[in-house]
Amino acid sequence: MSEVFGINPGDAGAVGLLVLVVLLILTGRLVPRRTHEDVLADRERWRQAYLESEKARSVEHEQTGELLELAKLGGHILTALPRPGQTADEEVTAGARMDPTPRTRP
């Protein structure tokens, strides 16, 4: 039989085996069945939550792609529109405004 913590369980007797079991419990190598089942159930709940989250993220990713395509189309349409008050050979400056009326401060 193999040694555990440097002790051969067959040579230890009843008290030695009890000490060995207590040491295994204290070090976390031996856990109660109920605790083990709780950990397995918790792991399954987290797995389900992860799968649902990934499914929602996938749908969101698809929708974002569609929205980006629509935004690109809108951008192309807006850049294709003629600018009022400017001719084709005029250069647009940073101070140019779409509305030709002067700004008034309140």
Side-chain angles (χ1 to χ4, degrees):
M1 193 175 258
S2 65
E3 293 184 358
V4 179
F5 293 115
I7 301 171
N8 189 352
D11 296 338
V15 174
L17 289 176
L18 180 62
V19 169
L20 179 64
V21 169
V22 169
L23 284 174
L24 288 173
I25 291 173
L26 291 176
T27 58
R29 295 182 182 183
L30 183 64
V31 294
R33 179 179 172 186
R34 180 70 181 154
T35 303
H36 179 67
E37 290 172 352
D38 288 345
V39 168
L40 290 178
D42 191 44
R43 182 180 69 178
E44 188 60 33
R45 281 192 300 270
W46 277 106
R47 180 178 288 141
Q48 284 301 110
Y50 170 75
L51 291 175
E52 289 176 18
S53 172
E54 285 299 304
K55 196 180 303 179
R57 190 188 63 77
S58 174
V59 170
E60 180 184 358
H61 182 70
E62 291 172 6
Q63 290 176 351
T64 302
E66 292 174 12
L67 290 173
L68 283 174
E69 288 299 319
L70 289 174
K72 287 178 184 177
L73 176 65
H76 290 302
I77 290 171
L78 287 176
T79 56
L81 291 176
R83 297 191 183 270
Q86 295 180 351
T87 61
D89 58 340
E90 234 178 86
E91 185 177 324
V92 178
T93 62
R97 297 183 53 216
M98 294 292 287
D99 185 14
T101 59
R103 290 187 185 173
T104 57
R105 291 203 164 148

